[in-house]
mmCIF file of all heavy atoms in Angstrom:
data_model
loop_
_atom_site.group_PDB
_atom_site.id
_atom_site.type_symbol
_atom_site.label_atom_id
_atom_site.label_comp_id
_atom_site.label_asym_id
_atom_site.label_seq_id
_atom_site.Cartn_x
_atom_site.Cartn_y
_atom_site.Cartn_z
ATOM 1 N N LEU U 106 -33.501 0.450 11.702
ATOM 2 C CA LEU U 106 -33.523 -0.917 12.038
ATOM 3 C C LEU U 106 -32.199 -1.272 12.844
ATOM 4 O O LEU U 106 -32.203 -2.044 13.840
ATOM 5 C CB LEU U 106 -33.675 -1.885 10.830
ATOM 6 C CG LEU U 106 -35.003 -1.825 10.081
ATOM 7 C CD1 LEU U 106 -34.921 -2.689 8.825
ATOM 8 C CD2 LEU U 106 -36.133 -2.352 10.996
ATOM 9 N N GLY U 107 -31.111 -0.684 12.392
ATOM 10 C CA GLY U 107 -29.825 -0.948 13.053
ATOM 11 C C GLY U 107 -29.831 -0.496 14.457
ATOM 12 O O GLY U 107 -29.333 -1.209 15.348
ATOM 13 N N VAL U 108 -30.404 0.664 14.695
ATOM 14 C CA VAL U 108 -30.464 1.282 16.082
ATOM 15 C C VAL U 108 -31.328 0.443 16.975
ATOM 16 O O VAL U 108 -31.001 0.065 18.120
ATOM 17 C CB VAL U 108 -30.869 2.713 16.038
ATOM 18 C CG1 VAL U 108 -31.131 3.195 17.494
ATOM 19 C CG2 VAL U 108 -29.861 3.621 15.408
ATOM 20 N N VAL U 109 -32.530 0.062 16.434
ATOM 21 C CA VAL U 109 -33.501 -0.739 17.213
ATOM 22 C C VAL U 109 -32.980 -2.163 17.545
ATOM 23 O O VAL U 109 -33.114 -2.675 18.703
ATOM 24 C CB VAL U 109 -34.795 -0.759 16.543
ATOM 25 C CG1 VAL U 109 -35.806 -1.762 17.222
ATOM 26 C CG2 VAL U 109 -35.473 0.563 16.373
ATOM 27 N N PHE U 110 -32.356 -2.806 16.552
ATOM 28 C CA PHE U 110 -32.004 -4.186 16.745
ATOM 29 C C PHE U 110 -30.530 -4.405 16.987
ATOM 30 O O PHE U 110 -29.933 -5.514 16.704
ATOM 31 C CB PHE U 110 -32.429 -5.013 15.518
ATOM 32 C CG PHE U 110 -33.925 -5.091 15.290
ATOM 33 C CD1 PHE U 110 -34.550 -4.319 14.390
ATOM 34 C CD2 PHE U 110 -34.697 -5.873 16.148
ATOM 35 C CE1 PHE U 110 -35.953 -4.312 14.126
ATOM 36 C CE2 PHE U 110 -36.023 -5.937 16.002
ATOM 37 C CZ PHE U 110 -36.713 -5.196 15.019
ATOM 38 N N THR U 111 -29.837 -3.475 17.487
ATOM 39 C CA THR U 111 -28.433 -3.527 17.781
ATOM 40 C C THR U 111 -28.066 -4.725 18.633
ATOM 41 O O THR U 111 -27.083 -5.437 18.327
ATOM 42 C CB THR U 111 -27.879 -2.223 18.419
ATOM 43 O OG1 THR U 111 -27.974 -1.171 17.477
ATOM 44 C CG2 THR U 111 -26.374 -2.346 18.771
ATOM 45 N N PRO U 112 -28.793 -4.989 19.762
ATOM 46 C CA PRO U 112 -28.425 -6.177 20.534
ATOM 47 C C PRO U 112 -28.365 -7.478 19.740
ATOM 48 O O PRO U 112 -27.507 -8.312 20.012
ATOM 49 C CB PRO U 112 -29.509 -6.206 21.649
ATOM 50 C CG PRO U 112 -29.938 -4.779 21.749
ATOM 51 C CD PRO U 112 -29.924 -4.226 20.305
ATOM 52 N N LEU U 113 -29.269 -7.628 18.802
ATOM 53 C CA LEU U 113 -29.189 -8.782 17.905
ATOM 54 C C LEU U 113 -28.034 -8.819 16.998
ATOM 55 O O LEU U 113 -27.422 -9.844 16.696
ATOM 56 C CB LEU U 113 -30.542 -8.980 17.180
ATOM 57 C CG LEU U 113 -31.796 -9.124 17.988
ATOM 58 C CD1 LEU U 113 -33.047 -9.180 16.991
ATOM 59 C CD2 LEU U 113 -31.751 -10.340 18.840
ATOM 60 N N LEU U 114 -27.685 -7.644 16.542
ATOM 61 C CA LEU U 114 -26.554 -7.462 15.627
ATOM 62 C C LEU U 114 -25.217 -7.787 16.331
ATOM 63 O O LEU U 114 -24.358 -8.394 15.684
ATOM 64 C CB LEU U 114 -26.540 -6.060 15.087
ATOM 65 C CG LEU U 114 -25.528 -5.668 13.993
ATOM 66 C CD1 LEU U 114 -25.837 -6.521 12.813
ATOM 67 C CD2 LEU U 114 -25.549 -4.216 13.683
ATOM 68 N N ILE U 115 -25.154 -7.459 17.606
ATOM 69 C CA ILE U 115 -23.916 -7.827 18.353
ATOM 70 C C ILE U 115 -23.632 -9.272 18.335
ATOM 71 O O ILE U 115 -22.525 -9.707 18.306
ATOM 72 C CB ILE U 115 -24.033 -7.270 19.792
ATOM 73 C CG1 ILE U 115 -24.066 -5.723 19.736
ATOM 74 C CG2 ILE U 115 -22.757 -7.623 20.566
ATOM 75 C CD1 ILE U 115 -22.984 -5.004 19.012
ATOM 76 N N ALA U 116 -24.682 -10.047 18.362
ATOM 77 C CA ALA U 116 -24.563 -11.527 18.389
ATOM 78 C C ALA U 116 -23.981 -12.027 17.044
ATOM 79 O O ALA U 116 -23.374 -13.063 17.007
ATOM 80 C CB ALA U 116 -25.962 -12.193 18.573
ATOM 81 N N LEU U 117 -24.087 -11.117 16.035
ATOM 82 C CA LEU U 117 -23.561 -11.498 14.703
ATOM 83 C C LEU U 117 -22.088 -11.021 14.523
ATOM 84 O O LEU U 117 -21.272 -11.721 13.907
ATOM 85 C CB LEU U 117 -24.362 -10.961 13.585
ATOM 86 C CG LEU U 117 -25.884 -11.475 13.498
ATOM 87 C CD1 LEU U 117 -26.569 -10.747 12.389
ATOM 88 C CD2 LEU U 117 -25.892 -12.981 13.279
ATOM 89 N N ILE U 118 -21.811 -9.887 15.099
ATOM 90 C CA ILE U 118 -20.462 -9.305 14.866
ATOM 91 C C ILE U 118 -19.496 -9.580 15.944
ATOM 92 O O ILE U 118 -18.261 -9.575 15.713
ATOM 93 C CB ILE U 118 -20.487 -7.771 14.629
ATOM 94 C CG1 ILE U 118 -21.027 -7.042 15.877
ATOM 95 C CG2 ILE U 118 -21.364 -7.396 13.406
ATOM 96 C CD1 ILE U 118 -20.900 -5.499 15.750
ATOM 97 N N ALA U 119 -19.924 -9.836 17.145
ATOM 98 C CA ALA U 119 -19.031 -10.194 18.246
ATOM 99 C C ALA U 119 -19.700 -11.139 19.270
ATOM 100 O O ALA U 119 -20.001 -10.758 20.384
ATOM 101 C CB ALA U 119 -18.691 -8.890 18.986
ATOM 102 N N PRO U 120 -19.949 -12.371 18.836
ATOM 103 C CA PRO U 120 -20.696 -13.305 19.737
ATOM 104 C C PRO U 120 -19.917 -13.666 20.976
ATOM 105 O O PRO U 120 -20.502 -14.191 21.974
ATOM 106 C CB PRO U 120 -20.882 -14.564 18.854
ATOM 107 C CG PRO U 120 -19.824 -14.435 17.798
ATOM 108 C CD PRO U 120 -19.650 -12.988 17.553
ATOM 109 N N GLY U 121 -18.611 -13.417 20.975
ATOM 110 C CA GLY U 121 -17.723 -13.804 22.148
ATOM 111 C C GLY U 121 -17.678 -12.692 23.239
ATOM 112 O O GLY U 121 -17.214 -12.990 24.297
ATOM 113 N N PHE U 122 -18.371 -11.523 22.954
ATOM 114 C CA PHE U 122 -18.374 -10.434 23.911
ATOM 115 C C PHE U 122 -19.456 -10.692 24.940
ATOM 116 O O PHE U 122 -20.592 -11.014 24.628
ATOM 117 C CB PHE U 122 -18.613 -9.090 23.246
ATOM 118 C CG PHE U 122 -17.452 -8.595 22.452
ATOM 119 C CD1 PHE U 122 -16.275 -9.399 22.226
ATOM 120 C CD2 PHE U 122 -17.463 -7.320 21.872
ATOM 121 C CE1 PHE U 122 -15.209 -8.946 21.503
ATOM 122 C CE2 PHE U 122 -16.418 -6.899 21.124
ATOM 123 C CZ PHE U 122 -15.271 -7.643 20.937
ATOM 124 N N THR U 123 -19.136 -10.423 26.201
ATOM 125 C CA THR U 123 -20.192 -10.630 27.274
ATOM 126 C C THR U 123 -20.000 -9.471 28.303
ATOM 127 O O THR U 123 -19.064 -8.705 28.285
ATOM 128 C CB THR U 123 -19.931 -11.958 28.061
ATOM 129 O OG1 THR U 123 -18.606 -12.002 28.592
ATOM 130 C CG2 THR U 123 -20.172 -13.126 27.148
ATOM 131 N N GLY U 124 -21.005 -9.315 29.145
ATOM 132 C CA GLY U 124 -20.975 -8.335 30.243
ATOM 133 C C GLY U 124 -20.842 -6.838 29.754
ATOM 134 O O GLY U 124 -21.415 -6.435 28.747
ATOM 135 N N ALA U 125 -19.894 -6.132 30.501
ATOM 136 C CA ALA U 125 -19.739 -4.720 30.225
ATOM 137 C C ALA U 125 -19.154 -4.503 28.804
ATOM 138 O O ALA U 125 -19.436 -3.499 28.198
ATOM 139 C CB ALA U 125 -18.840 -4.138 31.292
ATOM 140 N N LYS U 126 -18.348 -5.402 28.359
ATOM 141 C CA LYS U 126 -17.733 -5.263 27.027
ATOM 142 C C LYS U 126 -18.863 -5.351 25.925
ATOM 143 O O LYS U 126 -18.816 -4.534 24.976
ATOM 144 C CB LYS U 126 -16.758 -6.479 26.787
ATOM 145 C CG LYS U 126 -15.938 -6.353 25.554
ATOM 146 C CD LYS U 126 -14.890 -7.499 25.548
ATOM 147 C CE LYS U 126 -13.911 -7.452 24.321
ATOM 148 N NZ LYS U 126 -12.885 -8.478 24.440
ATOM 149 N N ARG U 127 -19.845 -6.235 26.128
ATOM 150 C CA ARG U 127 -20.857 -6.348 25.156
ATOM 151 C C ARG U 127 -21.796 -5.108 25.230
ATOM 152 O O ARG U 127 -22.225 -4.539 24.241
ATOM 153 C CB ARG U 127 -21.763 -7.578 25.467
ATOM 154 C CG ARG U 127 -22.933 -7.795 24.501
ATOM 155 C CD ARG U 127 -23.687 -9.049 24.831
ATOM 156 N NE ARG U 127 -24.742 -9.274 23.921
ATOM 157 C CZ ARG U 127 -25.967 -8.766 24.044
ATOM 158 N NH1 ARG U 127 -26.296 -8.052 25.127
ATOM 159 N NH2 ARG U 127 -26.938 -9.001 23.121
ATOM 160 N N ASP U 128 -22.084 -4.601 26.481
ATOM 161 C CA ASP U 128 -22.925 -3.388 26.665
ATOM 162 C C ASP U 128 -22.238 -2.236 25.985
ATOM 163 O O ASP U 128 -22.947 -1.326 25.330
ATOM 164 C CB ASP U 128 -23.143 -3.128 28.182
ATOM 165 C CG ASP U 128 -23.950 -4.284 28.791
ATOM 166 O OD1 ASP U 128 -24.749 -4.960 28.072
ATOM 167 O OD2 ASP U 128 -23.904 -4.348 30.017
ATOM 168 N N LEU U 129 -21.004 -2.027 26.141
ATOM 169 C CA LEU U 129 -20.243 -0.953 25.556
ATOM 170 C C LEU U 129 -20.323 -1.031 24.027
ATOM 171 O O LEU U 129 -20.540 0.027 23.315
ATOM 172 C CB LEU U 129 -18.843 -0.909 26.018
ATOM 173 C CG LEU U 129 -17.957 0.203 25.392
ATOM 174 C CD1 LEU U 129 -18.470 1.606 25.689
ATOM 175 C CD2 LEU U 129 -16.516 0.089 25.811
#
Side-chain angles (χ1 to χ4, degrees):
L106 291 175
V108 171
V109 172
F110 295 105
T111 295
L113 297 178
L114 187 62
I115 297 304
L117 297 176
I118 65 173
F122 288 6
T123 58
K126 188 174 183 178
R127 181 178 184 274
D128 293 340
L129 177 59

